[in-house]
Amino acid sequence: MGIRNERLRWQLVSGVLKALHLERLSQRYSHRAVMAGFSFVNGTISIALISFVALMTQEAFIFPSLGATAFILFHVPMAAPASPRNTLCGHLIGALMGYASLYLFGLADAPSAMASGVSPERIGAAAVSLGATGFFMVWCRVPHPPAGATALIVSLGLMPQLQQLPLLMAGVAMLLVQAFTLNRLAGLPYPLWRSVEDADMGRPAPVSLGTDANR
């Protein structure tokens, strides 16, 4: 998987460079330097665009866990956690578990942990939100690691209002649109919804018919 992902990353970078008529960069600099520069530029632009929308609308379209999502979408775009299905469902589960934990521990109207400090109730909310997020992502087969950070962002009171959920998901959707556009521009078969790895997760492993299996 490591070699395959490395090849896909280079295909993504070289495809974008070709589309922008910048192939000479891959000839002048090493692959590592080009990919590192690509990660810098792409991460900067993707988050800057969402932040600009947040600035213009004065709404919370941007939140910390989007940074980790952006890295996954552009660094390992063909992996299961980078698929639109996993990304959207993962963040949705994380946010919902965060809100549920706030109500469970009576923190719906409490100030954030950054403002009031950490209390036993806040510890419980953070722990339950993260544990429940992991449980439901595994149960629903939609693993997306940054969603764990989304659960903590909500349960720690940084985005405590349920009406902020559509804005949170809109930020995720905007990042996915950028990922789809850039990956398809580079010639990668980035999925519309579900990746091949996502589909394979639900299939039973083949049974070995070797000598050990017959004993």
Side-chain angles (χ1 to χ4, degrees):
M1 281 299 295
I3 296 176
R4 177 175 178 270
N5 284 330
E6 191 71 18
R7 289 174 178 172
L8 286 173
R9 283 193 289 270
W10 180 248
Q11 182 182 342
L12 169 61
V13 174
S14 59
V16 173
L17 291 178
K18 183 177 180 180
L20 298 176
H21 304 290
L22 295 173
E23 301 98 321
R24 63 183 182 278
L25 292 178
S26 62
Q27 300 170 357
R28 183 174 180 181
Y29 301 102
S30 68
H31 283 196
R32 180 181 296 182
V34 173
M35 287 194 291
F38 178 82
S39 181
F40 171 78
V41 172
N42 195 57
T44 300
I45 292 175
S46 61
I47 297 301
L49 288 175
I50 300 176
S51 300
F52 180 74
V53 174
L55 175 65
M56 297 302 295
T57 60
Q58 291 299 299
E59 299 288 355
F61 285 105
I62 188 74
F63 52 96
S65 53
L66 279 186
T69 292
F71 185 81
I72 289 176
L73 293 180
F74 299 115
H75 194 61
V76 284
M78 303 306 294
S83 70
R85 172 179 178 267
N86 288 38
T87 303
L88 282 172
C89 294
H91 279 292
L92 180 61
I93 289 172
L96 290 177
M97 294 305 100
Y99 290 123
S101 70
L102 289 179
Y103 286 96
L104 179 63
F105 288 90
L107 298 171
D109 298 317
S112 72
M114 307 306 164
S116 62
V118 178
S119 64
E121 293 80 9
R122 189 67 71 179
I123 294 174
V128 169
S129 68
L130 184 58
T133 296
F135 174 86
F136 282 108
M137 284 197 299
V138 172
W139 183 268
C140 300
R141 297 195 180 105
V142 288
H144 185 71
T150 297
L152 292 179
I153 288 167
V154 175
S155 62
L156 291 175
L158 301 180
M159 296 183 72
Q161 303 302 319
L162 188 57
Q163 55 265 35
Q164 292 177 303
L165 178 60
L167 298 176
L168 186 152
M169 296 309 299
V172 175
M174 284 189 285
L175 190 57
L176 280 171
V177 169
Q178 296 177 51
F180 180 85
T181 302
L182 189 61
N183 287 315
R184 286 298 180 99
L185 179 67
L188 294 181
Y190 186 74
L192 282 170
W193 179 241
R194 187 174 181 173
S195 71
V196 174
E197 287 186 30
D198 286 325
D200 289 342
M201 287 177 63
R203 298 176 183 172
V207 177
S208 174
L209 298 179
T211 55
D212 291 340
N214 294 325
R215 290 177 181 175

